[in-house]
Amino acid sequence: MEAQNVAQVDGASAIPEIIRTPFLTPPPSSKPNARPPLTPEQDAKYSDLLKEVSSWTTLPTTSARSAPTAPITDDERMWLTHECLLRYLRATKWNAVEAPRRLQATLVWRREYHLVEHTADYISPENESGKQVILGYDNAARPCLYLRPGFQNTKKSERQIQHLVYMLERVVDFMPPGQDTIALLINFGESTAGSNPSFGQGRQALGILQGHYPERLGRSLIINLPWHVNGFFKLITPFIDPLTREKLVFNGDVRQHVPPEQLWSTMGGDTQFEYDHSIYWPAMNKIAAERRKLYQERWIQGGKRVGERESFLNGGNEPSVAASEQAKMAERTPDVGVEVINGTNKVEGPQRLDGPAEEKTRLVPEVNQQA
């Protein structure tokens, strides 16, 4: 559903229709913020990093010392996009040694964490209460992931962290072309000390976010912050890097950051969304799966390139890396031209290599240049 629908009652008043599935696209008013172009030094570091990761043929299967290795897969190569490499370069402050180390650490973590085994059916019990919801886009066309600790429905376990990682992976599936960051909307309304994550869970989740999803957070909007959670944030703040802290907004007007027509009414918006697990969960996962399939098909179409651009993979107008390279080569190839010299047409550019010897030096007949 791309827009908030309204229903007419007795032809008199318009009542917002209750929706139960995700929005498919941002509203027309939402536009991704353009990033500044790379400096020559940054471009050189990106090229060096691309060359290095493109040479990887195997990776350790775990983070253990002396762990066995296994061939790098197509899915792992597809994950190494142009924007992914830039995210890790920015996260490491353009450190040419640290960026590839952290990229490889994340690929190993993704293997070790068994992301492919965290299926929709396995995660489903964690979301039966709707404690995490992907819904709408903010002003910069970032897909919004709502976290609602007050709707905690399971006991503390590793699957709760796996649930968060699963939803991070799915919200990435909802990225529109030109955007590679997300908006986190956290509503602590109705939460209790028992329903909120423990300090240990908070540190673990923060470690995963900063270590394996760097530069993915575009904005975090946090409302209804109770005193006990405020204390939790004070404890965990020292572990949050300064750039991430700048993206946190506490108890602000969420309508200033998210178009009201795609903002859930529970956070001050106009969208009357009702979570029904039997409807939302299969719908959200179906949309995400369809988008992942198209993403993979475009990657194959583009030649399975490491460093492919996410805008192309997400269905934008930007060409693939291979198509861009071909266009640049075509621009550098001179056209065959004809220049008149002393009454004779002289052909510039490539010449024929077949035919009689005398014709190899004269490709077009002479023409009379008299007025």
Side-chain angles (χ1 to χ4, degrees):
M1 184 175 296
E2 299 186 12
Q4 180 69 36
N5 292 333
V6 295
Q8 291 294 123
V9 180
D10 296 330
S13 58
I15 301 175
E17 179 185 352
I18 293 176
I19 65 172
R20 297 180 175 86
T21 56
F23 289 97
L24 299 181
T25 58
S29 61
S30 294
K31 304 292 182 184
N33 299 321
R35 289 191 182 273
L38 300 182
T39 66
E41 181 183 5
Q42 291 171 342
D43 191 55
K45 289 187 175 183
Y46 170 80
S47 296
D48 290 343
L49 179 59
L50 175 61
K51 183 178 180 180
E52 180 170 350
V53 301
S54 297
S55 70
W56 293 347
T57 57
T58 62
L59 293 169
T61 54
T62 73
S63 57
R65 184 175 297 181
S66 303
T69 62
I72 190 169
T73 67
D74 273 359
D75 282 349
E76 290 167 334
R77 286 169 52 82
M78 183 171 64
W79 180 81
L80 291 165
T81 63
H82 173 82
E83 288 77 11
C84 176
L85 270 56
L86 289 177
R87 285 192 291 271
Y88 278 76
L89 280 167
R90 289 193 296 267
T92 58
K93 298 179 174 58
W94 299 88
N95 187 309
V97 175
E98 188 67 8
R101 187 197 69 77
R102 283 191 56 180
L103 275 165
Q104 187 167 119
T106 292
L107 284 170
V108 172
W109 171 81
R110 292 174 72 86
R111 289 181 168 193
E112 199 169 29
Y113 205 63
H114 304 293
L115 288 187
V116 295
E117 297 176 14
H118 302 164
T119 64
D121 288 342
Y122 170 71
I123 297 295
S124 178
E126 290 291 339
N127 214 65
E128 287 180 353
S129 63
K131 64 189 176 191
Q132 295 188 29
V133 172
I134 298 168
L135 181 70
Y137 296 81
D138 75 358
N139 291 341
R142 303 181 187 99
C144 296
L145 173 59
Y146 289 79
L147 305 183
R148 304 195 295 163
F151 288 78
Q152 182 59 264
N153 63 316
T154 60
K155 295 181 179 180
K156 289 179 173 57
S157 69
E158 183 60 29
R159 193 173 64 178
Q160 289 184 344
I161 303 298
Q162 293 167 347
H163 175 216
L164 174 62
V165 171
Y166 182 86
M167 294 301 280
L168 287 172
E169 292 286 316
R170 298 293 74 78
V171 75
V172 168
D173 293 331
F174 279 78
M175 290 285 180
Q179 183 55 267
D180 70 336
T181 63
I182 69 172
L184 278 182
L185 281 68
I186 308 176
N187 186 354
F188 281 97
E190 302 183 48
S191 69
T192 64
S195 67
N196 291 318
S198 67
F199 178 74
Q201 284 182 314
R203 281 197 63 179
Q204 183 183 1
L206 185 62
I208 290 173
L209 286 168
Q210 293 186 162
H212 305 303
Y213 296 87
E215 298 292 310
R216 278 296 197 184
L217 181 62
R219 181 72 66 194
S220 182
L221 308 169
I222 304 162
I223 67 169
N224 296 322
L225 197 65
W227 67 267
H228 57 272
V229 175
N230 191 44
F232 170 81
F233 271 103
K234 286 182 178 178
L235 285 173
I236 208 165
T237 294
F239 303 98
I240 304 176
D241 70 77
L243 290 178
T244 300
R245 286 201 295 269
E246 292 176 3
K247 300 172 183 176
L248 306 181
V249 178
F250 293 94
N251 291 324
D253 182 0
V254 183
R255 292 172 71 95
Q256 298 300 312
H257 301 275
V258 182
E261 67 268 27
Q262 288 203 359
L263 176 61
W264 197 349
S265 58
T266 59
M267 292 193 75
D270 298 338
T271 295
Q272 299 299 316
F273 174 80
E274 181 180 276
Y275 189 81
D276 183 327
H277 190 68
S278 65
I279 297 174
Y280 177 88
W281 192 248
M284 183 275 290
N285 280 289
K286 181 181 179 182
I287 294 167
E290 289 172 348
R291 294 191 176 194
R292 287 197 304 279
K293 182 174 182 291
L294 291 172
Y295 187 101
Q296 184 180 47
E297 288 174 354
R298 294 185 190 106
W299 186 68
I300 294 171
Q301 175 193 336
K304 295 186 173 183
R305 297 284 292 269
V306 170
E308 186 59 85
R309 293 186 177 268
E310 290 176 9
S311 182
F312 164 72
L313 295 172
N314 284 321
N317 295 324
E318 186 173 6
S320 66
V321 169
S324 296
E325 291 174 349
Q326 291 170 1
K328 289 179 181 177
M329 287 180 63
E331 290 175 1
R332 290 195 297 264
T333 303
D335 294 331
V336 175
V338 178
E339 180 184 0
V340 177
I341 300 178
N342 296 329
T344 303
N345 285 350
K346 177 183 176 182
V347 176
E348 298 176 331
Q351 296 189 355
R352 283 173 47 190
L353 298 180
D354 58 343
E358 65 271 19
E359 294 211 3
K360 293 179 184 178
T361 58
R362 186 173 60 84
L363 305 184
V364 294
E366 295 180 355
V367 296
N368 189 345
Q369 295 297 323
Q370 286 186 336

